[in-house]
Amino acid sequence: MHCQHDMASAGSLLSEDQFLCPICLDVFTQPVSTPCGHNFCRDCIKGYWESSELTQCPMCKHTFYQRPELKVNTFISEVAAQFRRSLEMKPENEGASSSTVDQPLSHLGEVPCDVCSGKTVRAFKSCLDCLASYCHTHLEPHQILGTFKKHRLINPVMSMQDRVCKRHERLLESFCNTDQKFVCQVCLKRHHRGHRTVSIETESQVKRTLITRMEAEVQQMIQDRMQKVDEMTHAMLLSRRNTEQEIEESLQIFAAFLRLIQRGQAEVVEAIEGRQQEDERRVKEVIEELEQEITKLRQRSRELEQLSHTEDHLHLLKSFMSYPKPPATKDWSGTSAESILYVGTVRRAVRRTGSHLEEKLKSEVKRLCEMELERARRCTVDVTLDPDTAHPKLVLSKNRKEVHHGDVCLRPSDKPERFYPGISVLGKEGFSTGRFYYEVQVKGKTEWDIGVGRQSVNRKGGNTLSPEGGYWTLGMRSGKEYWALANPPIALPLQEKPQRVGVYVDTEAGQVSFYNVDARSHIYSFTGCSFGERLFPYFNPRRNHGGINSTPLIIPPVCI
């Protein structure tokens, strides 16, 4: 009894809200406590966690990485039960109705009337002058009496005391922009003289305009990102279609090669079998002819044997003198098995099939190179030369599309971005993502270097062109030697001398490729590259060599 009395006393010291589950807004049933210290009905918190992706407290949003083991808090359970029994014993006119207990207005987000006692009644208006909220009945004086008619009424709001200055107990009516504080009239006169202050309504309107602008910016950011998602999705689908198309094309190509090989194999087998049949026919003819001669010779052998055994000497002499010569036979001394059999059939058939396969391979490689170049040219960009990076002796055309060595210094060499002594110039446009393509006319030159370089390449002193130095370039020397400028350089035995070179870069794939545009053939590709920063087109027309190499490098328009 003493224990129950203590719990009843404890219940009387606690407010009604402290016995309500924050989820169901009803008196606790089998209350449990989370590790962060908040209490809920066991079924309520379990249901909340099952409907959420995260295991977190609904009150403080603390996240638990493992769902805690919940046990019923016996103390809170007994106090809540005692509180429930006390509510049941209250007279009907003293206590709140069951619906009010089950669903307090404060928990429903509605403002209660500050005057009504006993039961909670929804407020109709809040008064900024009285700092109170009123239901329809208690709002009547504000609608009838002249004194109250001047009061400022607004839609009901919670915590009217938060609108009062804690120091002077006056309504907060202004906002000080200097101190970023809400102030009352007394604060305004005593502590904020000379400050930039405006009414709360004015500041609210300013902030409302700012919020509208921020909301528009956020909406625009959302639209931009949604558009980017659409672009990326479209690119992914396009890439998938291209991949499927390339797989299909490769299957068709290899199927054609396989058919060619199978046809060649069948031809070889047929030729070998035909040769074997012919050899067998010839061998059989020789054997048949030999057997015929053997039969004749055996007949003569029997006759000679009979003659040799006769005892009549006169008969032997007469018979021998009139005996015909040995039967006519063929000279077989030059005939052998090797001279009959033919051994070159297989080699000749394989050579013939190999020649057909080689022609087919060359044809397919050329077709694929043409397709590859066409796709690269779809990524054409407009490239112009950057005079700030040009070597002092390089001459640039007015449209910045041509460059050659002029033998005379045209500009100072002290600019940090200028190449010196390397006879080089970069394109004005840089690229950090995606794919790009441009072409360079090299016709009439005996030396040149073209390609791309990182933005951070060394532009002063010695400058070795290689991927390690930040360059991916192709070079020509002595009018006929072509090199992929790696470390060490890679000789390229080109059969056709390019007059226009295409440069294609795929930053995501880490690839830099060069093409002979006129021959529509592939020259060389750097693959597996790691760029790490912006890339710029690179040009080096090399020295004039007495006018032999004076023809400029030209960036021509690309006709797709």
Side-chain angles (χ1 to χ4, degrees):
M1 294 294 295
H2 180 68
C3 180
Q4 291 181 355
H5 175 72
D6 289 344
M7 286 189 294
S9 299
S12 63
L13 294 175
L14 298 173
S15 66
E16 174 183 334
D17 291 350
Q18 293 172 291
F19 293 96
L20 301 179
C21 171
I23 297 177
C24 68
L25 304 178
D26 201 350
V27 180
F28 286 118
T29 301
Q30 292 185 307
V32 293
S33 300
T34 60
C36 57
H38 293 103
N39 303 311
F40 308 88
C41 295
R42 184 173 65 180
D43 293 338
C44 291
I45 188 63
K46 285 186 176 180
Y48 177 85
W49 285 342
E50 289 174 357
S51 63
S52 175
E53 295 181 358
L54 299 176
T55 303
Q56 61 178 199
C57 176
M59 298 296 291
C60 65
K61 303 304 180 184
H62 177 76
T63 301
F64 308 107
Y65 295 100
Q66 288 186 344
R67 183 172 294 187
E69 182 180 356
L70 301 177
K71 295 182 179 180
V72 175
N73 190 318
T74 55
F75 175 76
I76 297 178
S77 179
E78 293 176 0
V79 173
Q82 186 70 20
F83 178 76
R84 185 182 287 107
R85 285 194 295 271
S86 67
L87 289 178
E88 293 173 353
M89 291 186 296
K90 280 186 178 181
E92 185 177 350
N93 59 349
E94 291 182 5
S97 65
S98 60
S99 61
T100 305
V101 174
D102 292 344
Q103 301 290 335
L105 291 178
S106 59
H107 285 287
L108 294 173
E110 297 178 348
V111 181
C113 175
D114 292 328
V115 182
C116 291
S117 60
K119 63 179 182 178
T120 305
V121 179
R122 183 183 296 108
F124 178 65
K125 291 289 183 181
S126 294
C127 179
L128 293 177
D129 296 278
C130 300
L131 297 177
S133 299
Y134 303 103
C135 63
H136 283 283
T137 302
H138 294 108
L139 188 64
E140 289 182 1
H142 286 76
Q143 299 169 336
I144 299 173
L145 299 179
T147 304
F148 291 109
K149 281 186 177 182
K150 297 179 180 180
H151 286 195
R152 291 164 294 177
L153 300 176
I154 61 174
N155 290 329
V157 293
M158 299 288 291
S159 305
M160 291 295 293
Q161 291 302 317
D162 292 342
R163 298 173 176 267
V164 177
C165 176
K166 300 296 188 293
R167 180 181 296 182
H168 306 112
E169 296 186 355
R170 298 287 296 275
L171 184 67
L172 297 171
E173 296 180 328
S174 302
F175 181 76
C176 177
N177 279 294
T178 304
D179 296 334
Q180 292 293 300
K181 289 183 178 180
F182 297 101
V183 296
C184 67
Q185 291 299 321
V186 178
C187 293
L188 196 60
K189 294 177 180 179
R190 293 184 182 180
H191 310 294
H192 296 268
R193 286 184 179 276
H195 290 189
R196 292 182 296 109
T197 58
V198 294
S199 67
I200 288 180
E201 290 79 4
T202 301
E203 184 65 20
S204 174
Q205 197 61 39
V206 172
K207 292 297 188 287
R208 196 183 305 276
T209 303
L210 180 61
I211 290 172
T212 301
R213 185 163 61 249
M214 291 174 64
E215 183 182 5
E217 292 176 357
V218 170
Q219 288 297 326
Q220 185 59 48
M221 292 171 67
I222 293 173
Q223 291 298 323
D224 293 343
R225 281 149 182 78
M226 290 177 65
Q227 183 177 356
K228 184 61 67 175
V229 169
D230 291 340
E231 292 175 359
M232 299 301 290
T233 302
H234 177 71
M236 180 181 66
L237 295 176
L238 183 60
S239 175
R240 186 178 299 167
R241 285 198 296 270
N242 290 339
T243 300
E244 292 173 352
Q245 181 179 354
E246 290 187 0
I247 291 175
E248 181 63 27
E249 290 177 356
S250 66
L251 291 175
Q252 292 177 359
I253 292 171
F254 284 105
F257 291 159
L258 184 59
R259 287 194 298 271
L260 182 60
I261 293 173
Q262 289 173 340
R263 185 166 61 249
Q265 181 186 24
E267 291 175 356
V268 168
V269 171
E270 182 180 359
I272 293 173
E273 291 177 346
R275 188 72 256 177
Q276 174 66 22
Q277 292 174 1
E278 177 64 18
D279 290 343
E280 288 183 0
R281 184 188 64 77
R282 293 177 60 197
V283 169
K284 287 180 179 179
E285 289 179 352
V286 171
I287 292 174
E288 183 178 354
E289 190 174 352
L290 286 170
E291 288 178 344
Q292 289 176 357
E293 290 187 359
I294 291 171
T295 300
K296 292 179 180 179
L297 291 172
R298 283 178 176 171
Q299 177 64 29
R300 177 62 57 89
S301 177
R302 284 194 297 270
E303 292 175 354
L304 291 173
E305 184 180 5
Q306 290 176 0
L307 183 61
S308 67
H309 288 88
T310 183
E311 293 181 357
D312 187 345
H313 302 292
L314 181 62
H315 174 72
L316 184 148
L317 289 173
K318 288 182 176 181
S319 296
F320 181 78
M321 292 176 64
S322 62
Y323 201 82
K325 295 181 179 180
T329 57
K330 187 176 180 180
D331 183 9
W332 297 97
S333 60
T335 302
S336 65
E338 287 77 8
S339 65
I340 296 175
L341 297 177
Y342 185 79
V343 296
T345 305
V346 176
R347 287 196 298 271
R348 215 169 38 222
V350 171
R351 282 199 302 271
R352 184 170 59 253
T353 301
S355 297
H356 292 165
L357 184 59
E358 183 179 4
E359 292 176 3
K360 182 67 174 177
L361 281 170
K362 288 181 178 179
S363 174
E364 285 298 330
V365 168
K366 182 175 177 57
R367 187 180 70 85
L368 290 175
C369 285
E370 291 177 353
M371 291 175 57
E372 185 178 328
L373 180 58
E374 287 301 317
R375 291 175 181 175
R377 298 185 90 190
R378 296 173 191 168
C379 303
T380 298
V381 295
D382 184 24
V383 174
T384 56
L385 302 171
D386 184 1
D388 291 335
T389 66
H391 181 276
K393 293 185 179 181
L394 288 182
V395 180
L396 275 61
S397 62
K398 290 184 178 180
N399 64 357
R400 298 179 183 175
K401 294 285 187 178
E402 301 181 15
V403 58
H404 69 276
H405 190 273
D407 290 325
V408 178
C409 285
L410 303 175
R411 55 186 73 86
S413 61
D414 56 352
K415 271 194 173 185
E417 62 268 31
R418 190 179 307 286
F419 284 95
Y420 187 83
I423 307 171
S424 307
V425 61
L426 294 179
K428 186 71 175 177
E429 299 78 15
F431 306 89
S432 56
T433 59
R435 298 180 287 270
F436 64 94
Y437 173 87
Y438 65 95
E439 294 179 356
V440 185
Q441 182 175 309
V442 297
K443 182 179 180 180
K445 295 193 66 63
T446 58
E447 290 187 358
W448 48 260
D449 299 324
I450 59 175
V452 293
R454 288 196 186 108
Q455 185 175 13
S456 63
V457 292
N458 179 26
R459 307 185 190 190
K460 305 295 182 184
N463 202 7
T464 302
L465 298 182
S466 69
E468 290 77 10
Y471 295 94
W472 292 265
T473 54
L474 186 73
M476 191 260 274
R477 301 290 183 271
S478 305
K480 57 182 179 180
E481 298 175 0
Y482 297 89
W483 302 82
L485 299 177
N487 190 14
I490 302 171
L492 304 174
L494 302 184
Q495 295 181 352
E496 298 175 284
K497 183 177 180 179
Q499 306 297 308
R500 181 183 291 202
V501 177
V503 183
Y504 171 72
V505 180
D506 187 337
T507 58
E508 277 78 15
Q511 174 184 339
V512 180
S513 297
F514 300 90
Y515 299 90
N516 183 335
V517 177
D518 297 315
R520 304 179 70 80
S521 61
H522 174 258
I523 297 176
Y524 184 79
S525 286
F526 293 94
T527 57
C529 308
S530 179
F531 304 121
E533 55 184 90
R534 295 180 74 191
L535 295 176
F536 289 81
Y538 173 83
F539 307 85
N540 186 339
R542 310 285 295 183
R543 298 185 184 278
N544 279 334
H545 298 302
I548 298 176
N549 191 38
S550 61
T551 305
L553 290 174
I554 302 174
I555 306 172
V558 177
C559 299
I560 302 176

